[in-house]
Amino acid sequence: MTDYRPLFGSGIIDCNSFIGHWPFRRLRRNTAAELVAMMDQFGIWKSCVASAEAILYRDSHEGNRALYEQTREHADRFWLYATINPMYAGWERDLAQCVDWGFRAVRLYPVFHNYRLDSPEADRIVRAAHEAGLPVAISCRVEDVRQRHWMDRFEDVDPLDVLGLAEAHPDTRFILMESLLGWPHDADEWRRLRDTQVYVEMSRMTALMERPLEIMTWELGDDRVLFGTGFPFKTPSPAFLELQVLDADEDAKARIAGENVRRLMDPEAGKG
Amino acid sequence: MVIDCHMHVRAGADGALDVQYCDWTIEAGDLLGIDRFCVSDLQLTGELRYDDFHAANDRVAAAVARHPDRYHGYCFVNPGDPKALDEIRQRVRDEGFIGIKSYNQYFIDDPVVEPVLRLASEWQVPVLVHAGYLTDGASKARQPLTSNALHLANAARRFPEAMLIEGHIGGGGDWEWALKHLREAPSVYLDTSGSGIDEWMIDRCVEEIGAERLLFATDTTMEGSVGKILDANLSEPDRKRILGGNFQALLDRRAV
């Protein structure tokens, strides 16, 4: 394992990690303590962490509750995602409780929770998150559909649907996670994305060959790209290598490695 | 020596070798520490006839000529074509291609493929098989004749001297299912490539089939394929074996 602080600074923040279990595959190193151990190996200062169980629990908030309880011992190392299902009873109160607990962002799974991103339910949860001062993270997928379990009938989220939602909520900050944006330079989608407040987590992008990560960083701006690993669904080193080989200067890499997500999730960032 | 045993070249708009793609590959190798790439041409579907695979292999030959110290070629054929063996003889015996690439025209245990496997066994050259146990309908519909580990195990029983390689354990599909079958097929090798970078994938491969049957590869997923080897809990000798030693040992068995 490599400590990446000499390359990217001491403020590395992984904006895409989980603890907990996944019903279709055993996740190892999936406790808070094991996540901290991984962070220490790679030099990660903080992880933005979500509950893996909350994705498929009928009551997602039980996943949030478990996440809160299980991370308290290492609270200074984590910023927590509130997984909210706007189709389920009582989500408004669940969101309020997560705000009270200090959760830093809302995480939505529209396909798993069976609603469309242009639906009234999506509109309501996005408005509620915005009023609570939280960004909204939407994952395009959890696992590769090509290896899906026979009980898993879920399709990937189309990034353009997230873009449409962000255009309908121009004041809300979004994080597009686990996406593979391969648009060419000067594609109109980049202009549309620039005009929103969408930040993009980079773990599925490559900085090599056709260089989609470099194109995205150029078109969207290095202040809108976020470092994430997808751990423990995914192994961490690929994301570090992507940032390492990205053709960008040291300051840009430091922004991607942590400063951008800190600005999104830390109310104290930039003060004083 | 780090050898990527599963990589590709492709055609440009004019049908000739896309040299920019070639050069991107070399650049990626330089940045990530990959010394050599074993390449075939990306043609994944359809009833490909001689002219198609011959042209694809011409592009591979052009890539090897462009970067002779970095590229090795696989000969791709449609095994059902009457001139498939002629193409293999030209490329492998006469031009020095290092092995044969099987895509998804036939399952690898289909009797149509037997003459190819017989020749590969006789010449002791590896056969890299595009493979995966695809569990979603759309992927299966796109590639209905993609071989899985069971097909490889069947072929290996009939050709125990063949050096069969199951392509891209991370290339989609249920890789845990694949490992269950591969542990019962001790002569089949497995390449580590693919966009799937599941935590512990490589560790599970080693637990089930052993480091001596694992071959490093990217199949165009550069950072991901290198990163998952870095993260695997391997001894240094095993890491070296996977990164190149195992594949070099296969190349050293060449008898043509």
Side-chain angles (χ1 to χ4, degrees):
Chain A
M1 309 301 169
T2 301
D3 183 339
Y4 280 89
R5 279 174 294 192
L7 280 178
F8 308 135
S10 57
I12 300 172
I13 303 173
D14 178 359
C15 82
N16 184 19
S17 65
F18 296 85
I19 64 169
H21 296 284
W22 179 242
F24 305 133
R25 174 166 65 91
R26 180 184 173 195
L27 301 178
R28 305 197 203 189
R29 298 203 285 173
N30 61 342
T31 67
E34 288 167 311
L35 178 53
V36 168
M38 182 281 279
M39 293 162 64
D40 289 342
Q41 285 175 329
F42 286 91
I44 297 172
W45 175 48
K46 284 185 188 290
S47 277
C48 307
V49 62
S51 160
E53 292 112 336
I55 301 168
L56 282 166
Y57 279 173
R58 279 190 293 274
D59 181 359
S60 292
H61 193 53
E62 284 306 305
N64 295 328
R65 190 187 309 280
L67 176 69
Y68 177 63
E69 292 164 355
Q70 291 163 12
T71 55
R72 287 178 74 171
E73 189 179 339
H74 308 279
D76 61 323
R77 303 298 301 278
F78 297 129
W79 288 336
L80 306 185
Y81 285 106
T83 299
I84 302 293
N85 177 358
M87 303 294 284
Y88 202 70
W91 65 264
E92 296 92 339
R93 184 172 164 177
D94 298 338
L95 175 60
Q97 186 163 46
C98 287
V99 171
D100 287 345
W101 285 339
F103 282 45
R104 300 296 181 109
V106 166
R107 194 148 176 157
L108 303 181
Y109 297 93
V111 175
F112 286 95
H113 295 159
N114 198 27
Y115 62 94
R116 293 171 54 95
L117 287 176
D118 59 1
S119 66
E121 289 80 10
D123 184 71
R124 278 197 288 274
I125 177 60
V126 170
R127 286 181 192 281
H130 182 69
E131 284 166 14
L134 304 183
V136 175
I138 301 175
S139 279
C140 286
R141 72 180 196 187
V142 177
E143 281 201 296
D144 188 328
V145 297
R146 295 173 298 176
Q147 65 187 43
R148 66 173 21 152
H149 187 278
W150 46 93
M151 297 291 285
D152 174 355
R153 294 287 181 269
F154 306 107
E155 300 296 331
D156 288 0
V157 173
D158 187 337
L160 290 176
D161 291 343
V162 179
L163 177 54
L165 181 68
E167 288 174 328
H169 296 270
D171 297 328
T172 302
R173 297 163 299 158
F174 289 87
I175 305 173
L176 177 60
M177 314 195 81
E178 298 285 346
S179 66
L180 195 58
L181 304 182
W183 302 318
H185 271 301
D186 300 325
D188 191 51
E189 287 85 354
W190 292 124
R191 179 196 58 76
R192 290 175 58 197
L193 206 55
R194 275 195 302 272
D195 289 344
T196 67
Q197 293 202 54
V198 174
Y199 294 69
V200 182
E201 180 267 330
M202 51 162 271
S203 66
R204 284 184 67 198
M205 309 281 281
T206 175
L208 299 171
M209 306 303 288
E210 289 97 335
R211 306 183 180 201
L213 179 57
E214 184 181 319
I215 292 172
M216 180 171 80
T217 303
W218 173 261
E219 292 288 345
L220 192 58
D222 58 45
D223 57 344
R224 301 271 292 274
V225 179
L226 307 179
F227 172 78
T229 65
F231 184 85
F233 285 94
K234 300 193 293 189
T235 198
S237 277
F240 283 100
L241 292 175
E242 288 157 17
L243 189 55
Q244 185 176 346
V245 300
L246 176 67
D247 189 7
D249 64 33
E250 199 173 293
D251 290 343
K253 291 186 181 184
R255 282 190 283 276
I256 294 169
E259 291 170 15
N260 296 337
V261 74
R262 185 172 186 185
R263 206 171 58 247
L264 262 180
M265 294 202 190
D266 185 0
E268 299 302 313
K271 286 186 182 173
Chain B
M1 172 75 73
V2 176
I3 306 174
D4 176 352
C5 82
H6 184 166
M7 185 46 193
H8 294 283
V9 297
R10 70 182 187 189
D14 61 356
L17 176 70
D18 182 341
V19 295
Q20 183 179 46
Y21 191 84
C22 262
D23 294 346
W24 282 339
T25 302
I26 298 301
E27 178 188 57
D30 291 343
L31 286 166
L32 295 172
I34 304 168
D35 299 299
R36 291 177 183 265
F37 295 93
C38 303
V39 298
S40 58
D41 194 272
L42 274 174
Q43 296 203 20
L44 289 167
T45 56
E47 282 295 316
L48 299 170
R49 309 320 308 180
Y50 172 80
D51 287 348
D52 301 310
F53 58 73
H54 186 75
N57 292 325
D58 277 346
R59 290 189 286 272
V60 170
V64 174
R66 184 175 180 84
H67 297 287
D69 54 338
R70 305 295 294 275
Y71 272 162
H72 297 298
Y74 285 104
C75 173
F76 160 57
V77 294
N78 176 353
D81 189 277
K83 295 173 78 173
L85 292 183
D86 290 342
E87 178 72 4
I88 293 172
R89 289 187 188 99
Q90 176 191 332
R91 302 299 183 177
V92 175
R93 185 189 61 199
D94 303 339
E95 297 180 11
F97 281 33
I98 54 103
I100 298 164
K101 178 67 194 277
S102 166
Y103 283 164
N104 58 7
Q105 281 70 42
Y106 296 89
F107 292 130
I108 195 65
D109 63 347
D110 190 305
V112 168
V113 189
E114 287 188 1
V116 172
L117 298 184
R118 193 169 294 117
L119 195 58
S121 300
E122 180 188 336
W123 287 354
Q124 285 293 282
V125 293
V127 180
L128 174 58
V129 182
H130 174 73
Y133 184 62
L134 303 170
T135 58
D136 74 303
S139 297
K140 279 192 285 193
R142 275 195 303 272
Q143 298 195 38
L145 296 181
T146 293
S147 299
N148 63 44
L150 198 51
H151 298 118
L152 277 122
N154 287 339
R157 269 191 292 277
R158 264 183 264 152
F159 293 92
E161 298 301 316
M163 294 186 284
L164 295 170
I165 304 169
E166 168 154 350
H168 40 55
I169 189 65
D174 183 347
W175 55 268
E176 293 174 293
W177 184 97
L179 292 178
K180 300 281 187 185
H181 286 290
L182 289 181
R183 70 184 178 190
E184 310 300 333
S187 67
V188 178
Y189 294 81
L190 176 63
D191 95 43
T192 60
S193 69
S195 59
I197 54 170
D198 290 355
E199 167 79 344
W200 288 102
M201 176 190 284
I202 300 302
D203 301 80
R204 288 291 298 128
C205 291
V206 173
E207 287 168 8
E208 291 292 344
I209 71 169
E212 63 278 4
R213 290 166 62 194
L214 279 179
L215 309 172
F216 168 73
T218 66
D219 190 20
T220 75
T221 298
M222 293 296 175
E223 301 98 315
S225 297
V226 172
K228 64 187 174 187
I229 300 294
L230 292 177
D231 287 348
N233 186 25
L234 300 169
S235 68
E236 278 315 300
D238 278 351
R239 201 180 308 274
K240 284 182 179 170
R241 271 193 276 271
I242 293 169
L243 285 171
N246 290 338
F247 194 67
Q248 185 60 53
L250 296 189
L251 298 181
D252 291 344
R253 287 165 60 178
R254 181 183 176 96
V256 56

